[in-house]
Amino acid sequence: MNKRDLLAYSFLTVFAVFTIFSMLSMHSFGVPDENAMDQYIIDNTVEETGASNGVTAVVFDYRGFDTLGEATVLFTAVAGVILVFRRLKK
Amino acid sequence: MKGMSLIVRTIANISFPFILIYGFYIIAHGHLTPGGGFQGGAVVASGLVLMLIAYNAEWISQRIKESHLSIFESLGALSFVLLAFLGIIFGTAFFSNFLVGTESLFGGIPLDGAANINTGGIIPLMNFAVGLKVIAGLFAIVYVMAHFISKKEGKIA
């Protein structure tokens, strides 16, 4: 076992220990510690956005920046694919 | 890339309008039912891809040009950002929903809990913008790849 393997194994051990301890200290599924934001969105979605679908209200209104980033990712992907695949016949 | 058999073409011809209607329904009802611009746009783009693989790339390129797809995608992205900027002018912040609560189109608030399509403020408009962008974008990817394959096959054969 050389120096690099020793470094890798020690890093993996530390990483695994931290992961296991953070898993053990997680709250149980479906019971968030802080639910003020969730309750705010559930209570005020219809009055503030007028949308019956709460998920779309979050995606397009409360988190519009996230959707803008998603649209930019799609735009970049399409631009890249068109750039790679066009004009290769010459 | 020669296209597929008569059976596949007939079934594609029959199911194509229904796929389009379903996709546009998902886009238009994004603020009421599950789905939205991304999901409905993917459904419509799948219908267009069905026609592309049932026929062939040349058949599609006689009807839709790749530059038109680019224009449509840019148009969707620009109208999405423009709607977000209109929130600064007419509302309070970037992406603020300035249409909700007004008398304009999509301005209603469904306080009785009933699903009314004339609600949601700018959310339906943004769904249309993102839907246009996703239709043109996803179809452009398959379109360009299909043309690449057909040119390559023509060179080998």
Side-chain angles (χ1 to χ4, degrees), chain A residues 12-90:
Chain A
L12 279 178
T13 312
V14 171
F15 185 72
V17 166
F18 271 105
T19 310
I20 288 165
F21 272 102
S22 60
M23 260 173 61
L24 288 175
S25 64
M26 270 168 76
H27 57 76
S28 55
F29 186 74
V31 190
D33 292 335
E34 298 286 338
N35 60 357
M37 179 71 98
D38 316 356
Q39 203 57 47
Y40 177 84
I41 287 173
I42 290 166
D43 291 339
N44 295 305
T45 294
V46 175
E47 287 83 5
E48 286 186 353
T49 68
S52 307
N53 183 356
V55 177
T56 305
V58 170
V59 167
F60 282 97
D61 193 298
Y62 292 110
R63 297 205 171 196
F65 271 109
D66 187 57
T67 309
L68 183 64
E70 271 180 56
T72 312
V73 166
L74 182 72
F75 188 84
T76 314
V78 173
V81 169
I82 290 175
L83 183 73
V84 169
F85 279 101
R86 87 195 310 193
R87 288 192 186 282
L88 279 175
K89 60 176 184 277
K90 284 177 186 172

Side-chain angles (χ1 to χ4, degrees), chain B residues 4-89:
Chain B
M4 298 180 80
S5 68
L6 184 65
I7 300 167
V8 178
R9 290 185 187 191
T10 309
I11 297 297
N13 278 336
I14 292 169
S15 54
F16 179 62
F18 294 104
I19 295 171
L20 284 197
I21 289 168
Y22 183 58
F24 284 118
Y25 160 79
I26 291 178
I27 294 174
H29 291 233
H31 56 301
L32 304 175
T33 55
F38 283 102
Q39 293 85 354
V43 170
V44 175
S46 310
L48 291 168
V49 170
L50 173 71
M51 293 309 273
L52 196 149
I53 59 170
Y55 289 82
N56 52 44
E58 281 73 30
W59 189 86
I60 288 286
S61 66
Q62 288 164 5
R63 285 156 178 80
I64 305 170
K65 285 197 166 51
E66 190 258 315
S67 57
H68 297 167
L69 291 174
S70 299
I71 289 168
F72 273 122
E73 200 201 355
S74 306
L75 207 67
L78 277 178
S79 52
F80 185 69
V81 177
L82 190 74
L83 277 168
F85 272 111
L86 284 179
I88 297 180
I89 299 170

